Amino acid sequence: MFQTKVEIPVTNQKISYQDSIMTLGSCFAENIGTKLSNVYFDTDINPFGVVYNPVSIKNSLELLLQNKPFSPDDLFEYRSLWNSFSHSTQFSNPDQKVCLETINSQLQSSAEFLKKTDTLIITFGTAWVFEDVNSGSVVSNCHKLPANKFQRKRLSVEEIISDYSKLISQLTVQFPNIKMIFSVSPIRHWKDGPHENNLSKSTLLLAIEELQKEFSNVHYFPAYEIQMDELRDYRFYAADMLHPSEVAVDYIWERFSETYFTEQTLQIKSQVEQFNADLSHRPLHPESAEFKNFQTKLEERKIALLANYKFLCNRIK
């Protein structure tokens, strides 16, 4: 076998279809969240858009806990777009009112979702942060403002541990049954160079290890190690040679499923994936009797699926 397989410790932090799952962080959090949503898990994906550094992810969770609406003063205009330093460009808009309404609608929805969240999946992308020179606050996105508007620094292991020890304690007090799965994004930040990228990723890994020791409801999923060691061949990378390819994302998703899903959850997931595959089938002859019969049987399978798993009723349209 021409592969070094990453062994993942057995965990009791299992995920079932009855759970509500929130993902926050880098592109990998988006990938896993989308995979979960595609097979009809109750999922809230990156309520502030893609966020890369631990401080901004922590700030995002604190904003959800506070559930305080944003005001026009929290926005700024740049290059004909209204933006928020707490959000990705996904929320930017030429119309200030639309920008604010979109931000607050998502904030309210995700704040309510957090109250019922069973599993929180947090993916750190980088230990580097950008601080607004005027406020001293770490921003989630620079929105392409001039570099002199920010001070760039790398967080220390101790800073991350301090921030997250307080945050995890607060979350656990408010939501005693919440489980947290941390990971480090397998996407390398190559603009910093290979050495700085490795120092950044190492900082994140060391911080998570200490948090895992401190809190029994914290688990680590080795997405970074799987990509770097199991999938080290460049055929597992996208065209930029930095992002995981679709094949790699699918493989990491399967390793995630094996690690966290109960046996029943895996069985339901398999049925749902087959249903989705048939649902996406595009016939050459849609008017044929054969395809109409196929559609009838597909609808019967959908009815049976919803009858067997009633919790899917609001998720499968």
Side-chain angles (χ1 to χ4, degrees):
M1 185 175 178
F2 298 97
Q3 188 182 47
T4 51
K5 188 158 185 173
V6 174
E7 297 299 329
I8 305 174
V10 175
T11 175
N12 59 2
Q13 295 198 26
K14 296 298 183 181
I15 296 173
S16 77
Y17 266 97
Q18 284 79 11
D19 289 347
S20 296
I21 307 157
M22 178 179 284
T23 71
L24 291 106
S26 76
C27 299
F28 182 71
E30 197 95 356
N31 289 337
I32 288 295
T34 301
K35 291 287 187 185
L36 288 161
S37 180
N38 285 347
V39 288
Y40 308 122
F41 281 89
D42 186 24
T43 314
D44 193 323
I45 307 167
N46 268 348
F48 293 81
V50 173
V51 180
Y52 296 98
N53 72 79
V55 173
S56 292
I57 297 169
K58 172 195 73 87
N59 291 344
S60 298
L61 280 163
E62 289 177 343
L63 287 166
L64 292 179
L65 289 169
Q66 295 162 8
N67 195 14
K68 179 185 175 184
F70 279 66
S71 72
D73 292 338
D74 296 314
L75 306 181
F76 67 93
E77 187 180 20
Y78 183 65
R79 291 182 177 176
S80 303
L81 286 176
W82 287 93
N83 312 278
S84 159
F85 279 133
S86 298
H87 295 77
S88 76
T89 53
Q90 170 188 333
F91 290 86
S92 301
N93 197 282
D95 188 317
Q96 184 192 40
K97 184 179 178 183
V98 172
C99 178
L100 195 61
E101 285 177 352
T102 304
I103 284 171
N104 283 329
S105 174
Q106 184 65 64
L107 176 70
Q108 185 177 12
S109 171
S110 295
E112 288 302 313
F113 192 95
L114 181 59
K115 292 176 184 177
K116 66 172 185 174
T117 295
D118 300 285
T119 301
L120 192 58
I121 300 174
I122 296 174
T123 303
F124 293 158
T126 178
W128 285 97
V129 298
F130 289 87
E131 293 177 337
D132 181 357
V133 294
N134 293 323
S135 66
S137 301
V138 171
V139 302
S140 297
N141 195 296
C142 296
H143 296 284
K144 298 183 179 179
L145 268 70
N148 63 8
K149 300 286 185 184
F150 306 98
Q151 168 129 10
R152 187 171 180 264
K153 74 165 192 173
R154 191 176 69 225
L155 298 170
S156 68
V157 174
E158 292 72 24
E159 286 175 306
I160 299 171
I161 293 170
S162 175
D163 275 351
Y164 276 82
S165 291
K166 295 171 190 171
L167 176 65
I168 294 168
S169 296
Q170 183 181 1
L171 285 167
T172 306
V173 167
Q174 287 194 235
F175 315 113
N177 297 319
I178 197 167
K179 304 182 289 283
M180 280 161 267
I181 300 171
F182 283 80
S183 63
V184 171
S185 170
I187 301 165
R188 290 168 291 172
H189 288 251
W190 207 245
K191 288 182 181 179
D192 298 326
H195 182 62
E196 285 296 339
N197 171 75
N198 287 339
L199 290 174
S200 169
K201 299 291 187 183
S202 299
T203 299
L204 302 174
L205 291 166
L206 287 167
I208 293 171
E209 182 185 29
E210 292 305 313
L211 294 170
Q212 198 176 356
K213 290 176 183 176
E214 186 177 351
F215 297 96
S216 61
N217 59 342
V218 168
H219 191 259
Y220 174 67
F221 176 70
Y224 179 75
E225 290 83 351
I226 292 171
Q227 181 72 40
M228 294 297 112
D229 291 304
E230 284 194 46
L231 308 178
R232 65 178 70 174
D233 193 295
Y234 274 110
R235 65 196 169 100
F236 295 114
Y237 287 84
D240 64 2
M241 297 294 121
L242 297 173
H243 285 73
S245 68
E246 187 176 338
V247 171
V249 172
D250 287 345
Y251 179 78
I252 295 172
W253 162 243
E254 288 307 314
R255 295 298 308 276
F256 181 91
S257 302
E258 293 167 4
T259 303
Y260 295 107
F261 294 166
T262 63
E263 193 60 40
Q264 183 190 38
T265 301
L266 287 169
Q267 291 172 5
I268 299 170
K269 171 178 168 282
S270 178
Q271 293 177 49
V272 167
E273 285 172 337
Q274 185 57 59
F275 174 77
N276 281 344
D278 291 341
L279 195 62
S280 62
H281 174 65
R282 294 291 176 264
L284 289 174
H285 306 288
E287 301 305 319
S288 68
E290 183 180 359
F291 180 66
K292 288 178 180 178
N293 184 50
F294 171 82
Q295 286 182 305
T296 300
K297 288 183 177 179
L298 188 62
E299 185 62 27
E300 289 172 355
R301 281 174 53 204
K302 176 181 174 181
I303 292 168
L305 199 62
L306 296 180
N308 290 333
Y309 311 114
K310 297 191 185 304
F311 48 82
L312 293 177
C313 288
N314 296 325
R315 304 178 200 175
I316 298 180
K317 305 302 181 186

